[in-house]
Amino acid sequence: MAKKIEGSPGYAPGTRVSTKDIVQKKISYSWWEPEVQYSWSMGQAMSKFIMGLKDGKILGRTCIKCDRVLVPPRMFCEYCYGPTDNWIELKDTGSIETYSISYLDSDARRIKDPILIGVISIDGASPQHGFMHYFGEMTKEEIHIGMKVKAVWKAPKDREGAITDIKYFKPLKGGGKK
Amino acid sequence: MNDVAVIGAGMTVFQRRLKETGKELSYLATKMALEEAGITKKDIDMVVMGSAPDAFDGIHQKGENLLDGAAGAGKPYVRVFNGGGTGVFAPIAGWWHVASGVADIALVVCEEKMGNCYPHPQTAFRHIWDPILDRPLAPNLVWLFAMEMNRYMTKYNIKKEDIARVAVKNKRNAVGHPCAQLPDEKITIEDVLNSEMMAWPVQRLDISPPSDGASALIFCSKDKVRQFTDDPVWVDGVGWNIDSTMWTNRDLSFPRYVANAARMAYKMAGIHNPRKEIDFAEPYDPFDYKELHHMEGLLLCNKGEAPILTREGVTERDGNMPMCPSGGLMGVGNPIAATMGQKICELYWQLAGKAGKRQIPTDPQVGVGQAWGDIMQMATVAVLRRG
Ligand SMILES: [Zn+2]
């Protein structure tokens, strides 16, 4: 028969240690730093999209059956599960779907000048179709959801076929007001 | 399908770093669950292990590494994994081992050791982003949640102080939990609003901490349950659902995949009106806003209404619809998969009347627990009922 317990969990096993215990070697530990590299083929859809960015173009893909313009583009539609139909060139403008003002870098280290980051819905694509990118030429007070923005591109000679061929999105002239 | 009952549960202390290995933590949590059920390893037919990304522990395919500690050696054993959803998905897998009739008694063990990873577990999270579109932007995982929180706040015009109330409530609820990492009886809304800005709108006290810990749960078939208890707690329904990985193509203001998973679980449990028929919930709360987001996803209130109900005290332990009476991830800690301890073990303890200082005073009969994971897309839900 089960044990009668007044308050469960009745106890809390485990031994708390602090970073200090580790630094001062008060507990035994082993250490390892993995060294490994990867390369990823971008595949059919992303290769074309990324090479489009190198040419200064944002490309989408249509699904006629679902009446969708897909950004990021894919070769198949996840809803109707058929092949998508055509490549389509879109404007390099859009609106801010959501954003954050980040004081953290990718290792959670603190940074003084915040990064403005968010999702842009690209004009001419289906609603809420777009990608994540940085924002610039705006203050953290000015940025807002729904703000109209335009891509700022690297100079053609500096582009390398990457999402970072767009430097950031800036307020679209006349579209920056709250 | 066979009816499935819970007969025992256990959990270790949750802490930023614990001395014990993952294997040892699995053993400690399992031993506790076996003691509560009044059984031994030989009574266990099958074992399910839940553990989230290998990158935290730094041990690939860590299911094998944890095996011996989880009483799995020499038994049918499987590790399941869907990121943050694992803490409720592992018990769902344990449930189907028994519901299908292949096991009479199934043990579920969940483990996480995030403290192994340097400089910070966030560094390992870098590896879950899309390598082509996202990683060149050097993202931090907190960005995702900051963007979702902002979208949710903006769409429903929610004030940060109404979100901070969740952090306050859960850290206070955790005061009665012996395993809690961040209980705080005295915390105020101002403390949360004045805490360090991480990625607006997310501040330090809006986030649950990374933790080490383990939890365990034992399921038993209806045929055998009377050997162990006269007052079983039953698993009435389970559900899970995942949305497209194209997260930049989704409206982040409402987690429709949570609603899909909830509908699946409610249908199985014969629940038609969740707001009336469910007495309390353990929605997944790795961030304070997520409790609100998930209350809405679990169809326990209207869209945008969760912050209002929270402000009115409805979700307090003695309110009409208590949320996270365990103290949740915000108060007890967030060793990812091991949060089964708050999300499912707590349902069992509450429904069995064993929750001690955390006991909901209104004699709850039905509770729902939920977890959430992958790239803001995975929902796992379970409904438990007192026998
Ligand atoms: Zn389609």
Side-chain angles (χ1 to χ4, degrees), chain A residues 63 66 77 80:
Chain A
C63 176
C66 295
C77 171
C80 67

Side-chain angles (χ1 to χ4, degrees), chain B residues 375-387:
Chain B
I375 304 274
M376 305 190 286
Q377 68 192 128
M378 179 75 198
T380 50
V381 175
V383 176
L384 272 64
R385 181 178 53 83
R386 180 175 211 158

Side-chain angles (χ1 to χ4, degrees), chain A residues 8 15 98 103 110 130 134, chain B residues 20 137 147 196 198 248 354:
Chain A
S8 289
T15 310
T98 187
Y103 295 85
R110 307 306 194 257
Y134 302 122
Chain B
E20 287 78 8
L137 299 170
M147 290 188 277
E196 182 191 4
M198 312 284 273
T248 61
K354 290 180 172 182

Side-chain angles (χ1 to χ4, degrees), chain B residues 121-285:
Chain B
Q122 291 291 343
T123 309
F125 270 132
R126 248 197 300 199
H127 303 276
I128 77 169
W129 291 88
D130 182 90
I132 300 162
L133 287 172
D134 299 336
R135 278 194 224 186
L137 299 170
N140 183 295
L141 197 73
V142 177
W143 292 3
L144 275 181
F145 312 121
M147 290 188 277
E148 187 181 66
M149 181 171 169
N150 186 7
R151 182 84 197 156
Y152 175 58
M153 286 172 65
T154 304
K155 177 132 181 193
Y156 297 112
N157 197 20
I158 297 164
K159 292 194 182 74
K160 271 220 68 178
E161 63 180 72
D162 283 334
I163 290 174
R165 282 174 211 283
V166 174
V168 171
K169 170 178 68 69
N170 292 1
K171 286 173 193 292
R172 287 183 184 173
N173 280 353
V175 170
H177 204 303
C179 303
Q181 182 174 352
L182 286 180
D184 191 341
E185 208 161 12
K186 297 201 173 89
I187 188 172
T188 64
I189 292 171
E190 287 68 36
D191 292 337
V192 181
L193 296 178
N194 294 331
S195 64
E196 182 191 4
M197 184 60 73
M198 312 284 273
W200 189 91
V202 174
Q203 290 174 256
R204 180 175 251 313
L205 291 178
D206 292 315
I207 313 185
S208 62
S211 322
D212 288 1
S215 56
L217 197 62
I218 297 169
F219 290 119
C220 180
S221 66
K222 189 180 180 179
D223 290 348
K224 290 224 170 155
V225 72
R226 298 294 163 190
Q227 298 174 27
F228 305 109
T229 177
D230 301 324
D231 193 15
V233 170
W234 300 98
V235 181
D236 262 13
V238 298
W240 63 103
N241 196 279
I242 189 163
D243 210 333
S244 162
T245 303
M246 292 292 192
W247 65 274
T248 61
N249 292 173
R250 293 195 259 123
D251 188 340
L252 302 176
S253 65
F254 181 73
R256 60 189 177 189
Y257 48 94
V258 177
N260 290 339
R263 284 190 200 100
M264 176 177 165
Y266 296 160
K267 189 178 173 194
M268 198 182 294
I271 289 174
H272 304 288
N273 186 344
R275 297 177 201 195
K276 288 213 170 108
E277 294 172 62
I278 289 168
D279 299 322
F280 74 106
E282 278 282 346
Y284 203 63
D285 63 323

Side-chain angles (χ1 to χ4, degrees), chain A:
Chain A
M1 213 51 195
K3 205 171 161 184
K4 280 277 172 237
I5 298 172
E6 285 308 311
S8 289
Y11 59 104
T15 310
R16 295 178 163 98
V17 292
S18 68
T19 310
K20 221 168 79 185
D21 295 332
I22 293 166
V23 173
Q24 297 175 348
K25 302 207 172 184
K26 284 185 181 165
I27 63 162
S28 306
Y29 66 88
S30 69
W31 184 265
W32 190 61
E33 293 182 37
E35 280 181 45
V36 61
Q37 282 88 39
Y38 295 90
S39 82
W40 293 280
S41 161
M42 292 193 186
Q44 299 290 352
M46 272 304 115
S47 295
K48 179 104 178 169
F49 176 74
I50 290 291
M51 291 322 284
L53 295 180
K54 204 175 176 189
D55 290 338
K57 295 172 184 169
I58 294 174
L59 299 178
R61 189 86 182 150
T62 59
C63 176
I64 294 172
K65 198 170 173 189
C66 295
D67 195 21
R68 287 207 298 166
V69 177
L70 304 164
V71 180
R74 39 261 198 198
M75 301 315 290
F76 55 88
C77 171
E78 71 274 20
Y79 291 129
C80 67
Y81 211 61
T84 51
D85 298 291
N86 299 300
W87 286 100
I88 176 172
E89 186 184 338
L90 300 163
K91 291 185 192 166
D92 67 348
T93 58
S95 54
I96 298 180
E97 181 72 16
T98 187
Y99 68 91
S100 173
I101 303 163
S102 180
Y103 295 85
L104 298 177
D105 77 0
S106 53
D107 285 321
R109 279 186 284 255
R110 307 306 194 257
I111 46 179
K112 211 170 167 215
D113 291 324
I115 300 165
L116 303 184
I117 185 78
V119 176
I120 303 100
S121 291
I122 299 297
D123 287 338
S126 293
Q128 280 153 353
H129 274 60
F131 46 83
M132 181 170 72
H133 220 297
Y134 302 122
F135 301 109
E137 299 180 40
M138 63 181 82
T139 65
K140 60 185 186 346
E141 287 74 29
E142 287 165 340
I143 190 171
H144 61 274
I145 287 177
M147 188 184 206
K148 293 285 179 195
V149 290
K150 181 176 172 55
V152 175
W153 297 84
K154 279 183 181 167
K157 65 172 174 46
D158 297 332
R159 291 181 203 152
E160 52 190 350
I163 190 72
T164 46
D165 286 349
I166 295 174
K167 290 204 284 190
Y168 53 83
F169 282 78
K170 67 172 184 181
L172 183 65
K173 220 176 160 193
K177 290 274 169 290
K178 265 191 196 183

